[in-house]
Amino acid sequence: MTEELSKVYEPKDVEAQAEQIWRQGRYFHADATSQSPHGTYTIVIPPPNVTAALHLGHALNNTLQDILIRFRRMQGRNTLWMPGTDHAGIATQTVVEKQLLAELGKRRTDFGRDEFLAYVQSWKDEYEIRILAQLKSMGCSCDWDRTRFTMDEICARAVREAFFKLFADGLIYRGKRLVNWDPATQTVLADDEVEHQTVQGHFWYLDYPLETPVQIDGKTIEYITVATTRPETMLGDTAVAMNPADPRAKYLVGKMVRLPIVGRIIPVIADEHVVLSDAQSDDEKAKFSTGFLKVTPAHDPDDWQIGQRHSLAVINIMAPDGSISDKFGWTDWQQIKNPDVENLIGMDRFEAREAVVEWFRQENLLAEVRPYTHDIGHSYRSHVPIEPYLSDQWYIAVKQPITNLRFTIADCRFETEKHDGVTYIKGTNVPVNSLAGLALGPLLDERLKFYPERYSKNYQNWLENLRDWPISRQLWWGHRIPVWSSGKSPKDLDPQKACIKQFQNEQGDTVYYVCTAPDCPDIERSLLQQGFVQDQDVLDTWFSSALWPFSTLGWPEETPELKTFYPTDVLCTAREIITLWVSRMVMMGQYCLGQIPFADVYIHAMIQDGQGRKMSKSLGNGIDPLVAIDSHGADAMRFTLASMTTDTQDVRMPVCEITLPDGRVVNSSTKFDNGRNFCNKLWNASRFAMMNLAGTNPDDFRPRSLDVCDRWILSRLAGAIRETTDALENFRFNEPLNQLYRFFWNDLCDWYLEWAKPRLADPAQKPVVQNVLAFVLDQTLRLLHPFVPFITEGIFGNLNQIVPSRRLPGVADAPSAPALVVAAWPSPLDELIDPVAECDISLVQNVIRAVREIRNKYNIPPAKILDCSVQAPREQAAVLSKAKELIRSLAGIGVLEIAEDLKKPNSAAAAVVDDLRIYVRDVIDSDSERRRLLKQKQFLCDGVTPLRKKLDNQAFLANAKPDVIRQTRDKLKELADQLDAVEKLLAELEE
RNA sequence: GGGCGGUUAGCUCAGUCGGCUAGAGCGCCUGCCUUACAAGCAGGAGGCCACAGGUUCGAGUCCUGUACUGCCCACCA
C-alpha cells in the first residue's frame, strides 16, 4: 500500500478518489426524518447568480461554509447544506441581451417573450451546470440531491404563496416611481446599468414672472430666476422651491408664479433641499444656484421627493420615446393648452430644449446662459441620456403595522414606544409589527448576531431608514407578478383563492387587481375569460431570494425538511448584500413562518488584488477558482483562502499571470503556494508515518512506556484540539488553521517525527512510537479535514488499511469510521495537557538549537559528530540526562556530558541559554566566538536597561499589578545572570 | 454627502484583557540533495508598529486630531 503513495502530492488523483468515496457513501445527503442526539446543523448557500461562472469571492465564501458544515457533520449533527442558484433577474437578462446583440444583432424586442426566455433559459442551464461543477470541485459538501433554483417549481410556489399572503394582508400596493428609462430602447434600466458620463452642458437661467410683484427691501421684484440644466422639463413644473433660510423666503413663499409658455399658475414653496446661492462657495451647486429651484416631480428624482413632501401635482410631459406629449399624464392639458405649447408637442426632448430656450430668449426671459460640466446618467446599451420616467409599480409597505402576526407585541424583548395607537421600536419610526420591525427586532434583542459584530450597524441603519420596497421590474426573466387586472369588477371568485384590491391606474381610472393563490389554474382561466390580463412585469429578484431559507425546504408545505432544518443555523455571505438580501430574509422568515431564518450571520472579507482594487471582469484582475484548483489543487486553494480569513473587511491577494500546461495565460497568485506546500508536507509526513506503521498493534501499547516526547506531542495535540474546536464554534478561521499549521509542521514534523526515526529502530520503543504516531496522525487528519478535505480523506483511507485501529488503550481513543468525512470530531483530551512535558521538551529543544547555531556559525558540516557538555541546575540536568538520546539524535552529538557542576572545557565554543551553559568541544574560532558573544551581550544589555528603569520607578512599583512586578524582577535576574555568564566567557576569551 | 474599515519586516498578514526584548508565511542571506518532503532541512538578517497630541506606572493595543488608502450606500438642479 505504502508504495502506492507518490513522492509529490498529486491533487488530481486524490481529489478524484475522495470525491468518489463521498459520492458512493452519500455522506452529504441529509435525512430529514432521522434524529441525531447532537441536533441539526443547516446552512443555505447564498445562491450564486447564473449570470457567470464563480469567482474567487465565491470560492472563499463556499470554502468557509464547507468548513463549518464538515466540522458540524463530524461532531455528529444531522447536517444539511442546501445548494442552489439564483435566476438573478435583470443581471441575467442583461447578459443574454448583450450576447444576442453581439452574436445575432438582435434585441429582446425582436423576439417574442417566450422565444427570448428560451434563450435565457439555455444560458441559465449552461451556467447552472458550470457553477455546480465548480462547487463540487472545490469540495463543497452540499446535499446535491436537493439542489434548488430560485425559479424552479418549488421556489415558484413559495413566491406565489408569499405574494398572495402579502397581497391579502394589504401590504402590497400600486404606487408611482421614477425609473431609469432608456428612451432609445424603451426599457427600464437598473441603477447599475446606468453609466455616468461627464458632459459639457449649460445652466440656463430662466425668469419666471410673479403673478403679483413683491416688494423686498424697497425693491420691486417682478421675476424670480430659476437655474436649470434641463429647460424642456419646465413644461411639467408644478412649483418653485426656495430654502426657508433664504432671507427672501418670507416675502416670496406662498406667492404664485405664472409658468412661461404654459401659463400654469404654480406656488413658491419652502424646502430645505434647495441650495442657497453663494457665488464664492466651493460648492458647485451653490455657485450656480439662484436660490430658486424649479420643481418638476415627474421628471426628476429630487423633485419627486419635494413633490411628495408638498403634495404637488405630478405632470408627465413626455412620451416613452422621449418626445414631448400630452398623452401620458399631462393632467391639466385641457386647461392650459395654447399655441405656444402645442408647438412643442411631438418634438424630441433635445429639440424641445432648444425651442424652449429660444422662446425664453425671444420673450426676453432668458437671464443668462453659463457653461457647466456635470455627470449625466447614460444607458449602457443605447448610450443616450437616461430619462427619469414616472411609472406605476407594485410596492411592499414595509412600515405598515400587520395585524395578524404570530407573535404579540408584549413578547418583544427590546424597548418600544407607543404613539397614536402604534407601537414603535424605540427611537425609530419603525412599527414593531411592520415588516421592517420584524427584521430589526431580532437584532435588538440579540436573537440575530453578526460576525464581525460591526456589520449589525449597517443592517440597523438601513432598516431604520427603510422606504417601501418597489418589487415590480419591467423585465421578462423572473417570477411573473401573479396579479390580473381589469376595469370591470370580477365575478364568481373564491375569496380563499383570489384576493381583490382596487387601485387607480396612471390615467386615474379605478382598476380591479386580483391576486390568486398558488395552484389555482381554474381561477386564472376564469379571470382571462372575464377579460382580465396578467401583469406584464416580473418580481424583483430579491423577492424570491428573501424566501430562500424556507422555499428551498418546501414551504408552504409542512415538509419534514422544513420541520427538521428550519430555522437554519448560519448565513455566510458578503457584506454588500447585508441590506438587500439578509434583511429581507429575516423579514420574510419572520412574516411567513414566525421565526428568524438563522441566528448567526457571518460576513466574510472581500478579496482585492495586490493593489487593493476589487477583483472584476473589467479590470481583468480576477482569479478563476478552477485555475487555482488546476495549478495548486482544491485543498491548497481552500487552505490559502481560509488562512486569509480574519475579521478584517478586505484582504489582498497579489495577482500574477501564469502559463498553464495547455498554453493558456491566466491569473493566479503565489499565495496559493502556501496551501500547496502545506498539502505536500502533509502528504509526505503521512507517507513517512505509514512507511513505519505496518504492524502497529494497540494491544502492544503501555501507557507507562510513554517517553517525554510522546507525552509532549500528545499534550500539544490536546491543545490543538481544544483551540481548533473553540475557534470553529466562533467563526474564526485563520486562527485554527495557523494553530494546526504550527502543530503539524513545527511540532509534529520538525521534532516528533525526527525523534521517532531512531526510536522506531529500537524494538523496545517501536510499539509505543507506532501507536502514538498513528493516533496523532489520525487526530491531525480529523482536525484538518474541514479545511483540506480531499487530501485528508485520501490519507485517512490509507491509514485505515495500514492501522485499522488507532487506540491508545488507557489514554485515548479514535473511533474508527469508514470515511473521514463522517469520522468523529476529536474529543477533548484536556487530561493529556502536560505542562511538565512541554517545559522539559522546551529545555531539550533549547540545547539542540544552541548546538545547531554553533554548528552553523562555525561552518561545521551537519554530518560531523560533536562532543558536548551541558552545565545545568540540578533539576534541569536531571531532565536533560533522561532525554539524552533526544538531544544526541537531533543535534548530531557523540559524547554528551550533563552535570550540575562543570567547567568549561578548553577550546570549546560556549552558549548561554537561560540557566544552561552549553559547551561544544574541540571547536576553535575565537573570532566567531567573540562576535557571537558580543552580539548576545548587546542583546542582554538592551533587555536589562528598561527592566532596571522600570523597577527603579516608584510609580510602577506602586501601581502595577504584583504579578507584573514579580515577573519583571524574575526576568531581570534571569537576564543579569546570563549577562554575567556571557561577560565571563568574553573575559576568558581575552586571556 | 452619510456609514464602515485599513495603515505593523521588501510583500501578504497575525498580534487576545494595555504588561516578557513585537510574530508568521513568502522573499532575501549562509550552509545542507541528512533514504518522508529542495514544494524540503538547519541557521540568520530584516521593524520610528502612518504622523501629531492625549490618558496611563506602562500604549502596536485606549482617546482626539491629521494624512494616505479602500469598501458600502445615497446623490449629482
Side-chain angles (χ1 to χ4, degrees), chain A residues 40 112 391 507 570 676 681 723 726 733 768 895 934:
Chain A
T40 59
S391 64
Q507 283 74 38
V570 61
R676 184 199 51 190
K681 186 77 178 175
E723 290 180 36
D726 179 64
F733 296 94
V768 71
V895 176
L934 281 171

Side-chain angles (χ1 to χ4, degrees), chain A residues 615-622 655 657 667:
Chain A
M615 286 186 174
S616 75
K617 263 190 196 155
S618 51
L619 286 171
N621 59 351
V655 176
E657 283 191 344
N667 286 338

Side-chain angles (χ1 to χ4, degrees), chain A residues 109-181:
Chain A
T109 41
D110 295 335
F111 303 96
R113 188 164 180 149
D114 290 341
E115 198 184 351
F116 175 75
L117 285 179
Y119 281 108
V120 188
Q121 184 69 36
S122 71
W123 175 286
K124 171 255 164 182
D125 290 342
E126 183 190 335
Y127 278 90
E128 182 181 51
I129 289 167
R130 278 180 66 175
I131 288 166
L132 296 177
Q134 280 180 303
L135 290 172
K136 284 177 192 169
S137 31
M138 290 172 201
C140 295
S141 57
C142 301
D143 188 349
W144 303 109
D145 299 344
R146 300 188 194 275
T147 306
R148 296 253 70 82
F149 171 58
T150 50
M151 268 170 68
D152 67 22
E153 266 180 51
I154 292 188
C155 292
R157 193 161 189 282
V159 164
R160 290 289 298 264
E161 177 74 19
F163 190 96
F164 183 73
K165 191 169 153 61
L166 287 161
F167 196 89
D169 279 345
L171 296 171
I172 289 184
Y173 68 92
R174 204 84 177 128
K176 303 235 178 262
R177 180 175 177 233
L178 284 172
V179 294
N180 300 310
W181 184 254

Side-chain angles (χ1 to χ4, degrees), chain A residues 207 209 234 259-263 338-341 343-344 352-366:
Chain A
D207 286 342
M234 59 79 60
L259 190 63
I261 309 181
V262 185
N338 67 56
D340 283 348
V341 189
N343 238 346
L344 297 167
R353 177 175 303 174
E354 310 257 315
V356 166
V357 170
E358 189 51 33
W359 188 95
F360 273 82
R361 183 173 288 133
Q362 297 210 344
E363 297 293 320
N364 228 359
L365 292 173
L366 183 64

Side-chain angles (χ1 to χ4, degrees), chain A residues 218-268:
Chain A
K219 277 187 279 187
T220 304
I221 306 294
E222 290 185 44
Y223 299 96
I224 55 180
T225 307
V226 298
T228 179
T229 57
R230 300 197 51 200
E232 71 280 11
T233 63
M234 59 79 60
L235 301 172
D237 284 3
T238 51
V240 172
M242 61 189 306
N243 195 303
D246 191 315
R248 300 167 294 183
K250 59 181 173 204
Y251 304 104
L252 289 167
V253 170
K255 299 288 182 295
M256 301 308 264
V257 166
R258 176 178 295 273
L259 190 63
I261 309 181
V262 185
R264 183 181 301 130
I265 307 297
I266 59 176
V268 178

Side-chain angles (χ1 to χ4, degrees), chain A residues 766-884:
Chain A
K766 188 171 178 179
V768 71
V769 179
Q770 279 189 321
N771 277 294
V772 170
L773 182 53
F775 178 75
V776 172
L777 178 61
D778 172 284
Q779 299 288 291
T780 306
L781 292 172
R782 293 180 202 232
L783 292 172
L784 284 169
H785 180 74
F787 303 95
V788 283
F790 294 104
I791 185 172
T792 47
E793 188 70 78
I795 296 168
F796 192 81
N798 284 301
L799 188 59
N800 267 350
Q801 294 184 32
I802 295 166
V803 192
S805 175
R806 277 95 60 184
R807 290 177 296 122
L808 297 180
V811 174
D813 194 13
S816 61
L820 185 53
V821 62
V822 288
W825 185 254
S827 333
L829 295 175
D830 289 352
E831 66 283 2
L832 293 185
I833 289 179
D834 186 341
V836 175
E838 299 222 14
C839 184
D840 292 353
I841 288 295
S842 168
L843 200 64
V844 169
Q845 288 173 329
N846 280 342
V847 174
I848 294 168
R849 288 199 186 99
V851 176
R852 283 171 173 175
E853 194 198 333
I854 289 171
R855 197 186 273 281
N856 255 282
K857 282 276 146 63
Y858 281 54
N859 273 320
I860 302 166
K864 178 163 164 124
I865 300 296
L866 300 168
D867 292 340
C868 206
S869 310
V870 178
Q871 184 197 325
R874 181 187 309 234
E875 278 175 34
Q876 299 186 9
V879 169
L880 293 174
S881 296
K882 267 195 246 167
K884 243 181 186 176

